[in-house]
Amino acid sequence: MPTTPQTGVDLVEPTLLSGQPGHVEELCATASAASGQAISPTLYNLDLAPTKRAGRKWSGYSIFTLWANDVHSLGNYAFAVGLFALGLGAWQILLALGIGAALLFGLLNLSGFMGVKTGVPFPVMSRISFGIRGAQIASLLRGAVAIAWFGIQTYLASVVFRVMVIAMIPSLADFDKNSILGLSSLGWVSFGILWIVQLVIVSFGMEMIRKYEAFAGPVILVTMASVAVWIFIEAGGAIAWSSDNALEGPEMWLTIFAGGALWVSIYGTFVLNFCDFTRSAVSKKAVVRGNFWGIPINMLVFGAIVVVMAGGQFKINGTIIESPSDIVQTIPNTLLLVLACLALLILTIAVNLMANFVAPVYALTNLFPKRLNFRRAAAVSAVIGLVILPWNLYNNPLVILYFLGGLGALLGPLFGVVMADYWLIRRGKVNVPELYSASPAGTYFYKNGVNPKAIMAMVPAAVVALAIAFVPTLGAAAPFAWFFAAGIAAVVYYFISDRTQKLEDVDGEAIAVASTH
C-alpha cells in the first residue's frame, strides 16, 4: 500500500474541524511555516485547503455515478420528453442529446482537470481570475442559485414521498388536504424527513456523498430501465417513434440544435463547480473515464429510455407524459409502486446533493472560513433552503423566471471568464499557495482583492444573457444564451487581460490537507 508523502498540513488536533477562530489561526500558522509565506485565516481552513494528491478516492466509477444519478433526474426526463412533445422523433431526440453530450464531455473535462491539478474547491478556484475577494461574487452567485433549487428539489421529492406514504397507508390522505404556509401537514412531515436525511448525509462530508452516489447510481439505472421495459410491454411491444406533430426540414434541425444547446445550459451550473468533486479525483484519466461513461454513453442510454417511455405511452393512449413519475403513479401493484417511488426518492436526493447542496456549502465556508466548516455550512444552507418556503417559489412562475432565471443567466459569463483566464491566459499555470495570501503584493490580490478586468468582461456578457432571457423579441436566441454569454465573456477577458505577465506554476502540496472531503 502506498504511503502518504511527508508534505502538507497534518490534522494535529481533531478540534481543528470545529472551525473556531483559534483553531483556524493555528492551522494557518502551520500552513504558513510549511509554505514559507503568510497564509491568511480569512482565506484558508480545512475545507478550502487544497487536497493532498496521495489518498484521493474519487475514481472513474465515482465520477460516473455522479452522472448516472444526475442525468436521470426527473427534470431532465421532463426536458427530453418535451422534445418529443415539440415534434422530434426518436433519432432526432438521440441526436440532440448526443450533440449536447459531446459538448458537455469537452467542457466538463476542462473544468474537471482544474480540480485535479490544484485540489481546490470552486470558491478558491475562482480567486485565480476574480481575485481573493472578488471570488465571493462567483461563489455566492453559484451558491444562491443552488440553494434555491435545493429547497425546490426537496419539495418535489416530498411530493413523491407523499404518494408513496398514501399508497402504503391510505388513511393518511386526510392529512394532505389542509394548508400550513402553503403546505399540508403530511407535506410538512414529508419535506422535513427528506430535509433531515440530506443534511445528515452532507454533514459527513464529500466522502459520504461519494458513497451515496455510488450506491444510488446502479439503483437509478436499473429502476429507469425497468420502468421503460414495463411501459414497452404495456404498449404491446411497439412504440410510437414520433408524435402526431412531427417536425421536418429547417424547423426540425433548429429544434435539434436548440435541444443540444439547452442540454448544455442545464449543466451550466455544474460545469462551474465540477472541481468541487474532481479535487479528490485520483487522476485526470479517472475524470475522462468517468465523464466518458457518464456523459455520452449514459446520456444515450437515457435518451433510449426517454424514447421508449414517451413513445410507449403515446402508443397506449395518445398522451405525452411529463416525467417518469406520471408512469409510476399508474403502477397497479402497491408494492411495485412503493419500490418505484423509493427509487425516485433515492434519485432526487442524489441529484440534490451533488448539484444543489455542495456549491452553497463551499460558498458559505469561503465567506466565513473562521466560523464555518463543511458541516456548519451545510446546516446553514439547509436552514436557508427551508425558510424560503421553496414550494411557494416553485408555484410562482415569476420567481422562477426573473429571480432564478436571472441568476442562472449570469453563470455563463462566470464560466467564460474562469475558463479563459485558466486555459488561455495562464495555460494552466497556478501558484496555489498564493490563492490563500491576503498580501497586497500577492499574485491574486489585483486591486483590493478584486480583478476589475474580470468584472469588465462579465458586464457585456451579462447584459446579453439577461436581454436574451427577458426580451421577447430575442426569444429565438434563448436556447443558445449560455453560449453567447460564455463566449462574449471569454473573448472580452482574453483581449483586455495582460497576456505578457510572468506566470508561476506552484502546487499546493505544502499546504494541502488529507482528502477527507
Side-chain angles (χ1 to χ4, degrees), residues 168-207:
M168 296 171 62
I169 312 174
S171 61
L172 291 179
D174 294 335
F175 295 95
D176 201 30
K177 298 177 181 178
N178 62 332
S179 179
I180 305 172
L181 297 177
L183 205 59
S184 67
S185 299
L186 182 60
W188 273 102
V189 173
S190 301
F191 185 93
I193 290 173
L194 295 176
W195 184 85
I196 291 171
V197 168
Q198 292 175 96
L199 180 58
V200 169
I201 294 173
V202 172
S203 68
F204 285 96
M206 291 293 287
E207 177 62 12

mmCIF file of all heavy atoms in Angstrom, residues 168-207:
data_model
loop_
_atom_site.group_PDB
_atom_site.id
_atom_site.type_symbol
_atom_site.label_atom_id
_atom_site.label_comp_id
_atom_site.label_asym_id
_atom_site.label_seq_id
_atom_site.Cartn_x
_atom_site.Cartn_y
_atom_site.Cartn_z
ATOM 1 N N MET A 168 -49.173 3.372 0.859
ATOM 2 C CA MET A 168 -48.957 2.393 1.919
ATOM 3 C C MET A 168 -50.020 2.499 3.009
ATOM 4 O O MET A 168 -50.490 1.491 3.533
ATOM 5 C CB MET A 168 -47.557 2.591 2.523
ATOM 6 C CG MET A 168 -46.413 2.329 1.557
ATOM 7 S SD MET A 168 -44.799 2.827 2.226
ATOM 8 C CE MET A 168 -44.661 1.753 3.648
ATOM 9 N N ILE A 169 -50.387 3.745 3.359
ATOM 10 C CA ILE A 169 -51.364 3.983 4.431
ATOM 11 C C ILE A 169 -52.406 4.967 3.907
ATOM 12 O O ILE A 169 -52.281 6.185 4.099
ATOM 13 C CB ILE A 169 -50.685 4.541 5.701
ATOM 14 C CG1 ILE A 169 -49.446 3.715 6.064
ATOM 15 C CG2 ILE A 169 -51.670 4.575 6.877
ATOM 16 C CD1 ILE A 169 -48.631 4.278 7.201
ATOM 17 N N PRO A 170 -53.442 4.499 3.220
ATOM 18 C CA PRO A 170 -54.420 5.390 2.590
ATOM 19 C C PRO A 170 -55.085 6.372 3.546
ATOM 20 O O PRO A 170 -55.473 7.477 3.139
ATOM 21 C CB PRO A 170 -55.452 4.398 2.016
ATOM 22 C CG PRO A 170 -54.674 3.136 1.785
ATOM 23 C CD PRO A 170 -53.695 3.079 2.914
ATOM 24 N N SER A 171 -55.223 6.004 4.819
ATOM 25 C CA SER A 171 -55.886 6.895 5.774
ATOM 26 C C SER A 171 -55.138 8.206 5.986
ATOM 27 O O SER A 171 -55.716 9.195 6.441
ATOM 28 C CB SER A 171 -56.053 6.182 7.121
ATOM 29 O OG SER A 171 -54.784 5.826 7.651
ATOM 30 N N LEU A 172 -53.845 8.242 5.628
ATOM 31 C CA LEU A 172 -53.056 9.467 5.805
ATOM 32 C C LEU A 172 -53.415 10.534 4.769
ATOM 33 O O LEU A 172 -52.950 11.672 4.872
ATOM 34 C CB LEU A 172 -51.564 9.150 5.729
ATOM 35 C CG LEU A 172 -50.980 8.336 6.891
ATOM 36 C CD1 LEU A 172 -49.493 8.083 6.666
ATOM 37 C CD2 LEU A 172 -51.195 9.054 8.226
ATOM 38 N N ALA A 173 -54.212 10.170 3.786
ATOM 39 C CA ALA A 173 -54.616 11.137 2.767
ATOM 40 C C ALA A 173 -55.364 12.316 3.380
ATOM 41 O O ALA A 173 -55.343 13.428 2.837
ATOM 42 C CB ALA A 173 -55.484 10.458 1.714
ATOM 43 N N ASP A 174 -56.034 12.088 4.520
ATOM 44 C CA ASP A 174 -56.765 13.176 5.191
ATOM 45 C C ASP A 174 -55.828 14.276 5.674
ATOM 46 O O ASP A 174 -56.239 15.430 5.799
ATOM 47 C CB ASP A 174 -57.552 12.616 6.377
ATOM 48 C CG ASP A 174 -58.670 11.680 5.938
ATOM 49 O OD1 ASP A 174 -59.125 11.824 4.788
ATOM 50 O OD2 ASP A 174 -59.073 10.810 6.737
ATOM 51 N N PHE A 175 -54.559 13.933 5.944
ATOM 52 C CA PHE A 175 -53.591 14.921 6.428
ATOM 53 C C PHE A 175 -52.921 15.679 5.279
ATOM 54 O O PHE A 175 -52.042 16.495 5.511
ATOM 55 C CB PHE A 175 -52.520 14.231 7.278
ATOM 56 C CG PHE A 175 -53.053 13.628 8.546
ATOM 57 C CD1 PHE A 175 -53.420 12.292 8.588
ATOM 58 C CD2 PHE A 175 -53.219 14.410 9.680
ATOM 59 C CE1 PHE A 175 -53.922 11.726 9.749
ATOM 60 C CE2 PHE A 175 -53.716 13.856 10.843
ATOM 61 C CZ PHE A 175 -54.080 12.513 10.890
ATOM 62 N N ASP A 176 -53.354 15.372 4.057
ATOM 63 C CA ASP A 176 -52.777 16.020 2.879
ATOM 64 C C ASP A 176 -53.738 17.037 2.262
ATOM 65 O O ASP A 176 -53.538 17.478 1.131
ATOM 66 C CB ASP A 176 -52.419 14.955 1.832
ATOM 67 C CG ASP A 176 -51.383 15.449 0.831
ATOM 68 O OD1 ASP A 176 -50.549 16.301 1.205
ATOM 69 O OD2 ASP A 176 -51.424 14.997 -0.325
ATOM 70 N N LYS A 177 -54.763 17.408 3.035
ATOM 71 C CA LYS A 177 -55.798 18.289 2.495
ATOM 72 C C LYS A 177 -55.790 19.692 3.085
ATOM 73 O O LYS A 177 -56.422 20.593 2.551
ATOM 74 C CB LYS A 177 -57.177 17.657 2.708
ATOM 75 C CG LYS A 177 -57.346 16.323 1.980
ATOM 76 C CD LYS A 177 -58.693 15.682 2.270
ATOM 77 C CE LYS A 177 -58.835 14.348 1.549
ATOM 78 N NZ LYS A 177 -60.140 13.680 1.855
ATOM 79 N N ASN A 178 -55.099 19.899 4.200
ATOM 80 C CA ASN A 178 -55.040 21.230 4.817
ATOM 81 C C ASN A 178 -53.846 22.007 4.281
ATOM 82 O O ASN A 178 -53.102 21.522 3.424
ATOM 83 C CB ASN A 178 -54.970 21.113 6.338
ATOM 84 C CG ASN A 178 -53.713 20.386 6.793
ATOM 85 O OD1 ASN A 178 -53.174 19.555 6.071
ATOM 86 N ND2 ASN A 178 -53.244 20.686 7.991
ATOM 87 N N SER A 179 -53.674 23.221 4.770
ATOM 88 C CA SER A 179 -52.561 24.062 4.299
ATOM 89 C C SER A 179 -51.991 24.878 5.448
ATOM 90 O O SER A 179 -52.716 25.605 6.130
ATOM 91 C CB SER A 179 -53.037 24.998 3.189
ATOM 92 O OG SER A 179 -51.981 25.827 2.744
ATOM 93 N N ILE A 180 -50.698 24.714 5.664
ATOM 94 C CA ILE A 180 -49.961 25.497 6.668
ATOM 95 C C ILE A 180 -48.802 26.160 5.949
ATOM 96 O O ILE A 180 -47.851 25.500 5.539
ATOM 97 C CB ILE A 180 -49.432 24.608 7.811
ATOM 98 C CG1 ILE A 180 -50.581 23.816 8.455
ATOM 99 C CG2 ILE A 180 -48.708 25.456 8.861
ATOM 100 C CD1 ILE A 180 -50.106 22.778 9.453
ATOM 101 N N LEU A 181 -48.900 27.476 5.742
ATOM 102 C CA LEU A 181 -47.893 28.218 4.984
ATOM 103 C C LEU A 181 -47.685 27.630 3.589
ATOM 104 O O LEU A 181 -46.582 27.622 3.057
ATOM 105 C CB LEU A 181 -46.557 28.265 5.746
ATOM 106 C CG LEU A 181 -46.566 28.989 7.100
ATOM 107 C CD1 LEU A 181 -45.200 28.888 7.773
ATOM 108 C CD2 LEU A 181 -46.964 30.446 6.928
ATOM 109 N N GLY A 182 -48.789 27.148 3.026
ATOM 110 C CA GLY A 182 -48.732 26.649 1.650
ATOM 111 C C GLY A 182 -48.455 25.178 1.510
ATOM 112 O O GLY A 182 -48.371 24.667 0.389
ATOM 113 N N LEU A 183 -48.315 24.447 2.636
ATOM 114 C CA LEU A 183 -48.014 23.018 2.580
ATOM 115 C C LEU A 183 -48.911 22.274 3.569
ATOM 116 O O LEU A 183 -49.179 22.772 4.661
ATOM 117 C CB LEU A 183 -46.539 22.782 2.917
ATOM 118 C CG LEU A 183 -45.867 21.513 2.372
ATOM 119 C CD1 LEU A 183 -45.926 21.482 0.852
ATOM 120 C CD2 LEU A 183 -44.421 21.446 2.833
ATOM 121 N N SER A 184 -49.372 21.083 3.188
ATOM 122 C CA SER A 184 -50.229 20.302 4.067
ATOM 123 C C SER A 184 -49.434 19.729 5.234
ATOM 124 O O SER A 184 -48.191 19.740 5.234
ATOM 125 C CB SER A 184 -50.875 19.156 3.283
ATOM 126 O OG SER A 184 -49.888 18.207 2.885
ATOM 127 N N SER A 185 -50.152 19.192 6.212
ATOM 128 C CA SER A 185 -49.477 18.576 7.370
ATOM 129 C C SER A 185 -48.591 17.430 6.923
ATOM 130 O O SER A 185 -47.433 17.304 7.351
ATOM 131 C CB SER A 185 -50.518 18.075 8.379
ATOM 132 O OG SER A 185 -51.308 19.132 8.849
ATOM 133 N N LEU A 186 -49.123 16.573 6.052
ATOM 134 C CA LEU A 186 -48.324 15.458 5.539
ATOM 135 C C LEU A 186 -47.171 15.977 4.694
ATOM 136 O O LEU A 186 -46.072 15.414 4.708
ATOM 137 C CB LEU A 186 -49.207 14.523 4.712
ATOM 138 C CG LEU A 186 -48.516 13.273 4.154
ATOM 139 C CD1 LEU A 186 -47.964 12.416 5.282
ATOM 140 C CD2 LEU A 186 -49.495 12.458 3.293
ATOM 141 N N GLY A 187 -47.419 17.074 3.986
ATOM 142 C CA GLY A 187 -46.362 17.683 3.188
ATOM 143 C C GLY A 187 -45.217 18.174 4.052
ATOM 144 O O GLY A 187 -44.037 17.992 3.710
ATOM 145 N N TRP A 188 -45.534 18.794 5.178
ATOM 146 C CA TRP A 188 -44.500 19.273 6.097
ATOM 147 C C TRP A 188 -43.676 18.100 6.656
ATOM 148 O O TRP A 188 -42.443 18.179 6.737
ATOM 149 C CB TRP A 188 -45.122 20.059 7.246
ATOM 150 C CG TRP A 188 -45.316 21.512 6.953
ATOM 151 C CD1 TRP A 188 -46.478 22.141 6.615
ATOM 152 C CD2 TRP A 188 -44.304 22.526 6.980
ATOM 153 N NE1 TRP A 188 -46.259 23.484 6.423
ATOM 154 C CE2 TRP A 188 -44.928 23.749 6.641
ATOM 155 C CE3 TRP A 188 -42.937 22.523 7.238
ATOM 156 C CZ2 TRP A 188 -44.231 24.950 6.556
ATOM 157 C CZ3 TRP A 188 -42.231 23.721 7.162
ATOM 158 C CH2 TRP A 188 -42.877 24.912 6.823
ATOM 159 N N VAL A 189 -44.370 17.046 7.049
ATOM 160 C CA VAL A 189 -43.663 15.878 7.584
ATOM 161 C C VAL A 189 -42.763 15.267 6.513
ATOM 162 O O VAL A 189 -41.598 14.926 6.768
ATOM 163 C CB VAL A 189 -44.670 14.831 8.110
ATOM 164 C CG1 VAL A 189 -43.943 13.545 8.499
ATOM 165 C CG2 VAL A 189 -45.434 15.391 9.312
ATOM 166 N N SER A 190 -43.290 15.131 5.298
ATOM 167 C CA SER A 190 -42.508 14.545 4.200
ATOM 168 C C SER A 190 -41.292 15.394 3.877
ATOM 169 O O SER A 190 -40.182 14.876 3.721
ATOM 170 C CB SER A 190 -43.393 14.403 2.949
ATOM 171 O OG SER A 190 -44.513 13.597 3.211
ATOM 172 N N PHE A 191 -41.507 16.718 3.771
ATOM 173 C CA PHE A 191 -40.400 17.623 3.486
ATOM 174 C C PHE A 191 -39.364 17.550 4.595
ATOM 175 O O PHE A 191 -38.153 17.495 4.343
ATOM 176 C CB PHE A 191 -40.917 19.053 3.336
ATOM 177 C CG PHE A 191 -39.862 20.054 2.931
ATOM 178 C CD1 PHE A 191 -39.656 20.358 1.588
ATOM 179 C CD2 PHE A 191 -39.069 20.682 3.881
ATOM 180 C CE1 PHE A 191 -38.683 21.278 1.210
ATOM 181 C CE2 PHE A 191 -38.089 21.605 3.514
ATOM 182 C CZ PHE A 191 -37.900 21.895 2.172
ATOM 183 N N GLY A 192 -39.836 17.549 5.841
ATOM 184 C CA GLY A 192 -38.919 17.526 6.985
ATOM 185 C C GLY A 192 -38.058 16.286 7.026
ATOM 186 O O GLY A 192 -36.854 16.347 7.311
ATOM 187 N N ILE A 193 -38.652 15.132 6.722
ATOM 188 C CA ILE A 193 -37.890 13.884 6.737
ATOM 189 C C ILE A 193 -36.787 13.911 5.683
ATOM 190 O O ILE A 193 -35.623 13.580 5.962
ATOM 191 C CB ILE A 193 -38.832 12.682 6.507
ATOM 192 C CG1 ILE A 193 -39.731 12.477 7.731
ATOM 193 C CG2 ILE A 193 -38.026 11.411 6.230
ATOM 194 C CD1 ILE A 193 -40.801 11.423 7.526
ATOM 195 N N LEU A 194 -37.131 14.318 4.467
ATOM 196 C CA LEU A 194 -36.142 14.366 3.394
ATOM 197 C C LEU A 194 -35.090 15.437 3.653
ATOM 198 O O LEU A 194 -33.910 15.259 3.319
ATOM 199 C CB LEU A 194 -36.841 14.630 2.062
ATOM 200 C CG LEU A 194 -37.793 13.521 1.600
ATOM 201 C CD1 LEU A 194 -38.512 13.924 0.324
ATOM 202 C CD2 LEU A 194 -37.037 12.215 1.378
ATOM 203 N N TRP A 195 -35.490 16.540 4.239
ATOM 204 C CA TRP A 195 -34.565 17.626 4.602
ATOM 205 C C TRP A 195 -33.526 17.112 5.583
ATOM 206 O O TRP A 195 -32.320 17.351 5.428
ATOM 207 C CB TRP A 195 -35.382 18.766 5.200
ATOM 208 C CG TRP A 195 -34.629 20.004 5.547
ATOM 209 C CD1 TRP A 195 -34.312 21.050 4.727
ATOM 210 C CD2 TRP A 195 -34.110 20.363 6.849
ATOM 211 N NE1 TRP A 195 -33.637 22.023 5.421
ATOM 212 C CE2 TRP A 195 -33.493 21.627 6.718
ATOM 213 C CE3 TRP A 195 -34.111 19.731 8.086
ATOM 214 C CZ2 TRP A 195 -32.890 22.270 7.800
ATOM 215 C CZ3 TRP A 195 -33.505 20.365 9.163
ATOM 216 C CH2 TRP A 195 -32.906 21.621 9.014
ATOM 217 N N ILE A 196 -33.979 16.368 6.598
ATOM 218 C CA ILE A 196 -33.070 15.834 7.620
ATOM 219 C C ILE A 196 -32.137 14.786 7.007
ATOM 220 O O ILE A 196 -30.932 14.766 7.291
ATOM 221 C CB ILE A 196 -33.871 15.230 8.789
ATOM 222 C CG1 ILE A 196 -34.579 16.351 9.572
ATOM 223 C CG2 ILE A 196 -32.963 14.440 9.725
ATOM 224 C CD1 ILE A 196 -35.561 15.853 10.606
ATOM 225 N N VAL A 197 -32.678 13.908 6.173
ATOM 226 C CA VAL A 197 -31.858 12.858 5.550
ATOM 227 C C VAL A 197 -30.704 13.469 4.761
ATOM 228 O O VAL A 197 -29.545 13.036 4.882
ATOM 229 C CB VAL A 197 -32.725 11.977 4.632
ATOM 230 C CG1 VAL A 197 -31.846 11.086 3.748
ATOM 231 C CG2 VAL A 197 -33.667 11.107 5.456
ATOM 232 N N GLN A 198 -30.998 14.491 3.963
ATOM 233 C CA GLN A 198 -29.952 15.121 3.160
ATOM 234 C C GLN A 198 -28.932 15.843 4.031
ATOM 235 O O GLN A 198 -27.728 15.797 3.764
ATOM 236 C CB GLN A 198 -30.589 16.102 2.168
ATOM 237 C CG GLN A 198 -31.418 15.422 1.100
ATOM 238 C CD GLN A 198 -32.132 16.406 0.214
ATOM 239 O OE1 GLN A 198 -31.649 16.749 -0.868
ATOM 240 N NE2 GLN A 198 -33.290 16.883 0.644
ATOM 241 N N LEU A 199 -29.411 16.501 5.071
ATOM 242 C CA LEU A 199 -28.497 17.205 5.970
ATOM 243 C C LEU A 199 -27.553 16.235 6.666
ATOM 244 O O LEU A 199 -26.354 16.514 6.818
ATOM 245 C CB LEU A 199 -29.294 18.010 6.998
ATOM 246 C CG LEU A 199 -28.484 18.816 8.024
ATOM 247 C CD1 LEU A 199 -27.558 19.794 7.307
ATOM 248 C CD2 LEU A 199 -29.405 19.553 8.979
ATOM 249 N N VAL A 200 -28.076 15.092 7.071
ATOM 250 C CA VAL A 200 -27.237 14.085 7.741
ATOM 251 C C VAL A 200 -26.162 13.576 6.784
ATOM 252 O O VAL A 200 -24.985 13.461 7.153
ATOM 253 C CB VAL A 200 -28.100 12.916 8.255
ATOM 254 C CG1 VAL A 200 -27.214 11.756 8.706
ATOM 255 C CG2 VAL A 200 -28.980 13.378 9.411
ATOM 256 N N ILE A 201 -26.546 13.279 5.546
ATOM 257 C CA ILE A 201 -25.570 12.774 4.572
ATOM 258 C C ILE A 201 -24.462 13.800 4.335
ATOM 259 O O ILE A 201 -23.269 13.480 4.381
ATOM 260 C CB ILE A 201 -26.268 12.428 3.241
ATOM 261 C CG1 ILE A 201 -27.226 11.249 3.430
ATOM 262 C CG2 ILE A 201 -25.231 12.090 2.162
ATOM 263 C CD1 ILE A 201 -28.070 10.951 2.213
ATOM 264 N N VAL A 202 -24.846 15.053 4.096
ATOM 265 C CA VAL A 202 -23.859 16.091 3.793
ATOM 266 C C VAL A 202 -22.989 16.400 5.004
ATOM 267 O O VAL A 202 -21.812 16.754 4.854
ATOM 268 C CB VAL A 202 -24.567 17.376 3.293
ATOM 269 C CG1 VAL A 202 -23.579 18.516 3.165
ATOM 270 C CG2 VAL A 202 -25.217 17.119 1.944
ATOM 271 N N SER A 203 -23.524 16.259 6.203
ATOM 272 C CA SER A 203 -22.756 16.589 7.400
ATOM 273 C C SER A 203 -21.523 15.704 7.552
ATOM 274 O O SER A 203 -20.585 16.058 8.260
ATOM 275 C CB SER A 203 -23.635 16.474 8.653
ATOM 276 O OG SER A 203 -23.985 15.125 8.907
ATOM 277 N N PHE A 204 -21.501 14.559 6.871
ATOM 278 C CA PHE A 204 -20.341 13.673 6.930
ATOM 279 C C PHE A 204 -19.336 13.963 5.811
ATOM 280 O O PHE A 204 -18.348 13.245 5.665
ATOM 281 C CB PHE A 204 -20.785 12.212 6.866
ATOM 282 C CG PHE A 204 -21.401 11.715 8.143
ATOM 283 C CD1 PHE A 204 -22.776 11.711 8.307
ATOM 284 C CD2 PHE A 204 -20.603 11.288 9.185
ATOM 285 C CE1 PHE A 204 -23.347 11.263 9.487
ATOM 286 C CE2 PHE A 204 -21.161 10.832 10.369
ATOM 287 C CZ PHE A 204 -22.545 10.824 10.524
ATOM 288 N N GLY A 205 -19.600 15.000 5.023
ATOM 289 C CA GLY A 205 -18.623 15.457 4.052
ATOM 290 C C GLY A 205 -18.727 14.799 2.693
ATOM 291 O O GLY A 205 -19.617 13.996 2.414
ATOM 292 N N MET A 206 -17.792 15.170 1.815
ATOM 293 C CA MET A 206 -17.809 14.722 0.429
ATOM 294 C C MET A 206 -17.599 13.218 0.293
ATOM 295 O O MET A 206 -18.076 12.605 -0.654
ATOM 296 C CB MET A 206 -16.739 15.463 -0.371
ATOM 297 C CG MET A 206 -17.023 16.932 -0.567
ATOM 298 S SD MET A 206 -18.461 17.235 -1.611
ATOM 299 C CE MET A 206 -17.795 16.799 -3.215
ATOM 300 N N GLU A 207 -16.900 12.608 1.239
ATOM 301 C CA GLU A 207 -16.677 11.175 1.156
ATOM 302 C C GLU A 207 -17.991 10.413 1.299
ATOM 303 O O GLU A 207 -18.246 9.434 0.595
ATOM 304 C CB GLU A 207 -15.684 10.727 2.225
ATOM 305 C CG GLU A 207 -15.423 9.229 2.268
ATOM 306 C CD GLU A 207 -14.815 8.676 0.989
ATOM 307 O OE1 GLU A 207 -14.378 9.453 0.118
ATOM 308 O OE2 GLU A 207 -14.794 7.438 0.844
#
